Amino acid sequence: MRSSIFIYVLVLSFCSLTLCKAQETAASAMPAPLFQTADPLALKFEFSGKELKRETNDSTYLKSDLWYKIADAPWDSVQVKIRARGIFRRSQCYFTPIRIKFKKRRVKETLFSDIKKLKVVLPCKLERGKDDLVLKEYMAYKLYEVVTPYHLKAKLAQITYTEVRGKRTRDHQLTGFLIEDMDNLEDRSGGKEVKRPVHPRQQDDYHSVLQDFFQFMIGNTDYSTSKLHNEKLFYIDEKILPIPYDFDMSGLVNAPYATVSNTQRLPRDIGSVTERAYKGYDRGAALREQVRSYYLEKEAELLAVADSLQDLFEDPREYRSARSFLESFFEILRDDQQFERYFIKYLRTD
């Protein structure tokens, strides 16, 4: 481990000024007003889930009213358009995740100013512990906020969803969260989304390894940087970076419906999402050790993210399992033999 840290120090001393400047710029830029505070948002929706699922065209939106408030502020509303999103969740889940579209003139000087679109993540099934699963996926987004300034921000929400069933309605009290659109990442960092596939070897080495370690940390195999599956690409400072999203299939969440992804060939066979498989390319030992040491330095801060959500879990066992899963990642990083077994042995070369 001492030799690994020594290599890291040498590499870090040659850190590119461009990279450092870019990270400082992204970290200091202000997000949209909705994401400037950690206070949970209260939301109210009313729509027909059946009608929403029936509209499979991604360009077809339904009109709806979104009611919202923060803390003790009074309720306010804004007219929005919504549509279902997500191939798997749309077909398999009781609660359909949605995308919201805002008109600029309707949200001017409101909490949603500077926002064009948002994703809303809801529980999947009508089952015990559904809200805890959402909390763990939200945790994953907050963990990545610690890892890098190039991320999609998430906002926790307590949601009253009034399900319209013909002439009848049914209220559901749900924990959910909002995810910002790539437009907002562009606004606060000055970069631009890349909307075409780019081979992983042409993507920035440092941020690629950073993201691959993160996906390993949360036990997620349901992504592909080559096929842009649960990944966006972002161009800034003459670099192309991966931006991950949708972590419900990860071992951290460990949802009952989660399966090991076959989106991209795995370097080692695993039978459960709680088993980890590193999907990163071999980008050199020096960079690998740099990122390894970086995560170890961030250990306390990353575990603090999990601890900050502890009181929100309905079942304390769900919190403890999530924290334990994260702790096992750092145990692997600290142990040279485990690091060899999980990372170096299975590095992708093609």
Side-chain angles (χ1 to χ4, degrees), residues 234-267:
F234 195 63
Y235 180 80
I236 187 166
D237 292 321
E238 300 182 355
K239 297 179 178 65
I240 296 177
L241 324 176
I243 307 292
Y245 63 95
D246 278 7
F247 308 121
D248 65 310
M249 291 287 190
S250 68
L252 178 70
V253 177
N254 197 20
Y257 57 82
T259 57
V260 177
S261 175
N262 62 359
T263 299
Q264 186 180 24
R265 179 180 59 83
L266 293 177

Side-chain angles (χ1 to χ4, degrees), residues 18-19 22-23 26 144 148-151 182 185 189-196 198-200 202-212 225 228 230-244 283:
T18 303
L19 173 61
Q23 291 208 351
Y144 202 59
T148 172
Y150 302 110
H151 57 256
M182 286 293 288
L185 176 56
S189 65
K192 192 72 177 175
E193 181 181 0
V194 179
K195 297 186 178 181
R196 59 177 178 81
V198 175
H199 193 277
Q202 296 176 287
Q203 298 172 30
D204 180 67
D205 285 336
Y206 174 76
H207 287 91
S208 295
V209 177
L210 204 67
Q211 190 239 190
D212 289 329
T225 52
L228 292 187
N230 292 337
E231 294 274 326
K232 300 285 187 180
L233 294 179
F234 195 63
Y235 180 80
I236 187 166
D237 292 321
E238 300 182 355
K239 297 179 178 65
I240 296 177
L241 324 176
I243 307 292
R283 299 176 189 265

